[in-house]
Amino acid sequence: MEGQKPVLPLSLKAVSVFAKLMNALNLPATRLDEDSACRTAMKDAGLSDFGDPYFREGLGELLVSCQQDADLHPIGRLVARDMIVNFLIQRLKLAKTRKQQPGIFSQPLVPPLIVTGMARSGTTFLHNLLAKDPDNRAIPQWKLMRPFPEEAANPNEPDPRIARMKSGLKFRQPMLPGLDTKHALRADSPEECIIPLGLTFNSLIFPTLFPVRRYMEWYLENADSSPKYQEYRWILQMFQAEAQAQRLTMKAPAHMGSLRALMEHIPDALIIQLHRDPVTCVSSVCSLVYTYHQSVSNNVDKAMIADLTLQLYETWLKRNLAFREIYPNVIYDVYYNSFISDPIETVRGIYSHFGVPWTEPVAMNLRTYINKNPKNKHGKHHYSAADFGLTEAEIADRLKFFYGEHISL
């Protein structure tokens, strides 16, 4: 049953008191306004050009939503402010790199493998398996959060972005009890594209981590955005320039509802979509989002989480159907039960479909990973639709237009 508040250590209680004082004094570290955030980012980066100003609409919606909807407690404000400033810094660095190294962005992309599908349908497991092929390259969380190198990085020492990511995860860990059973986060593990897409300020990363209803409603209308996916292509080109011989292997359930824009800018992308019982997926997503929201907010609305999650999947699946009608042979579908029963054969089938070479060493790498990472390695995730005021019948009926009428599980 969801609902238990985390018990914070004394160190975090002290941080909370200090953050509350900073907020009362209107100091920059907890301010959630566009001018202050942009000024801090420009000062920290030593840059002033944010590139295409389209991002300001999403940034504005996010900041208003943080102020009006989220009821962020003092640490929540610190976390939100820090994340927003970080993504503004990444925008500044993207614009700088576009000017100083234009050749990176004229290079063709090796067709990337892109995993999508309903969250909690096995996308993370498949992504991790694909990453075990040395010819593929999945991007670790520390690099997704900060795609552009730190100016002071010493090539003879570990990248400082790794330490910053580890420090951030360690800081938040006490506020996220049970997260490992739902979605284990590690600085050096592959993660979702919604993280680097944070620099577009049109990303699911924000409503996943913060209860920003107004922003989520704006996102639902604007997620299938061409400028956003133009910048996504640029981000992938940056990653590819670091290791040109490898095929990028990316993952985000959010792509499921934005394939039109994705394929507009990355027409050779190899799209894999996973499918699982939507009742299970929706209930599990609600549980995960609740864990994130209760770590930053004074008041978490379970009914809102349920309502917005169903709206999200209904919107994504309708767009996905529309895409399939126009591009009937682009998506390679994978079904959860058959995938879990034989994951290696599933990956072999993906490779065969897309003409990617399959070798016995790849199969051995996959077997090793599977043996070392059994299901429920970090404990069993318990969740229920009823925890969020939903019934299984309600979820199934809401999404039957996709699962039942068009896609058979």
Side-chain angles (χ1 to χ4, degrees):
M1 179 72 180
E2 306 287 354
Q4 184 177 1
K5 276 283 187 181
V7 178
L8 300 183
L10 287 176
S11 58
L12 276 183
K13 289 180 180 178
V15 171
S16 181
V17 171
F18 188 52
K20 186 175 181 179
L21 177 61
M22 287 191 290
N23 188 42
L25 295 174
N26 198 30
L27 296 178
T30 57
R31 286 180 60 183
L32 294 171
D33 63 90
E34 185 171 337
D35 182 66
S36 173
C38 289
R39 285 180 180 276
T40 297
M42 289 188 291
K43 180 180 178 181
D44 289 355
L47 301 167
S48 60
D49 181 6
F50 287 101
D52 189 331
Y54 84 94
F55 79 95
R56 291 186 181 274
E57 181 181 354
L59 173 61
E61 292 289 341
L62 175 62
L63 290 166
V64 169
S65 199
C66 281
Q67 294 279 33
Q68 296 182 358
D69 305 339
D71 192 15
L72 299 175
H73 55 56
I75 292 181
R77 291 181 70 90
L78 278 176
V79 171
R81 162 82 180 201
D82 183 68
M83 179 169 287
I84 289 167
V85 169
N86 171 67
F87 286 132
L88 286 169
I89 290 172
Q90 303 312 308
R91 278 203 72 79
L92 290 164
K93 291 184 175 182
L94 173 61
K96 175 186 175 182
T97 306
R98 292 268 301 149
K99 291 176 183 176
Q100 295 186 349
Q101 302 179 62
I104 289 174
F105 306 97
S106 63
Q107 294 298 312
L109 277 172
V110 176
L113 284 162
I114 297 182
V115 177
T116 190
M118 295 187 77
R120 326 304 291 169
S121 65
T123 56
T124 298
F125 182 36
L126 178 57
H127 190 210
N128 285 330
L129 288 177
L130 293 171
K132 298 308 166 187
D133 183 341
D135 288 336
N136 296 336
R137 181 174 180 236
I139 309 301
Q141 184 173 191
W142 64 266
K143 189 182 286 285
L144 293 171
M145 183 62 74
R146 298 177 178 88
F148 300 91
E150 307 287 348
E151 294 294 340
N154 184 335
N156 298 317
E157 296 179 358
D159 194 307
R161 291 175 290 175
I162 301 173
R164 291 185 68 181
M165 190 74 243
K166 288 182 176 179
S167 176
L169 292 175
K170 184 178 180 180
F171 174 80
R172 294 199 65 193
Q173 188 271 334
M175 300 187 291
L176 296 162
L179 180 63
D180 269 6
T181 67
K182 303 175 184 184
H183 185 67
L185 292 176
R186 301 292 184 269
D188 56 357
S189 295
E191 260 303 329
E192 294 191 8
C193 304
I194 62 172
I195 298 176
L197 281 172
L199 66 78
T200 71
F201 290 91
N202 184 345
S203 173
L204 193 67
I205 188 66
F206 302 114
T208 297
L209 299 181
F210 307 101
V212 283
R213 179 170 196 138
R214 170 174 169 155
Y215 177 84
M216 179 64 145
E217 291 171 347
W218 175 87
Y219 170 82
L220 286 171
E221 294 295 322
N222 293 278
D224 195 15
S225 158
S226 182
K228 163 184 172 177
Y229 276 94
Q230 173 63 82
E231 293 187 342
Y232 179 63
R233 178 184 176 86
W234 292 340
I235 293 167
L236 296 194
Q237 287 172 311
M238 279 290 304
F239 290 147
Q240 181 175 280
E242 299 169 343
Q244 296 187 23
Q246 292 178 296
R247 182 190 305 276
L248 288 172
T249 304
M250 312 300 291
K251 183 264 288 191
H255 293 317
M256 183 173 64
S258 302
L259 292 178
R260 177 197 60 81
L262 188 155
M263 295 298 289
E264 175 187 349
H265 294 286
I266 312 175
D268 297 328
L270 311 179
I271 307 296
I272 307 156
Q273 182 169 335
L274 281 92
H275 303 275
R276 190 182 186 186
D277 177 4
V279 171
T280 300
C281 292
V282 169
S283 304
S284 182
V285 167
C286 287
S287 174
L288 177 62
V289 170
Y290 175 85
T291 296
Y292 285 128
H293 287 189
Q294 57 82 38
S295 74
V296 295
S297 178
N298 292 309
N299 182 28
V300 180
D301 186 342
K302 292 184 179 181
M304 182 194 77
I305 291 174
D307 178 47
L308 292 180
T309 300
L310 280 173
Q311 283 188 48
L312 179 70
Y313 281 116
E314 184 176 9
T315 300
W316 279 355
L317 292 173
K318 285 180 177 177
R319 289 178 181 164
N320 194 260
L321 281 180
F323 177 83
R324 287 168 179 270
E325 291 178 3
I326 300 171
Y327 303 97
N329 300 312
V330 169
I331 299 171
Y332 182 78
D333 292 305
V334 170
Y335 296 88
Y336 179 82
N337 289 337
S338 60
F339 171 40
I340 296 304
S341 66
D342 197 341
I344 294 177
E345 187 58 33
T346 297
V347 176
R348 187 198 299 267
I350 292 168
Y351 277 38
S352 175
H353 177 80
F354 290 121
V356 177
W358 175 264
T359 65
E360 184 54 32
V362 171
M364 291 179 62
N365 288 350
L366 267 58
R367 291 189 196 100
T368 299
Y369 178 82
I370 292 167
N371 291 335
K372 290 183 177 179
N373 295 274
K375 189 175 182 180
N376 301 324
K377 176 181 179 179
H378 300 287
K380 186 171 176 57
H381 178 194
H382 298 280
Y383 53 88
S384 167
D387 289 345
F388 297 88
L390 295 170
T391 66
E392 295 186 358
E394 179 182 1
I395 298 170
D397 185 65
R398 183 81 172 263
L399 302 180
K400 70 180 180 182
F401 69 89
F402 191 88
Y403 288 106
E405 295 182 19
H406 295 273
I407 301 292
S408 298
L409 292 172

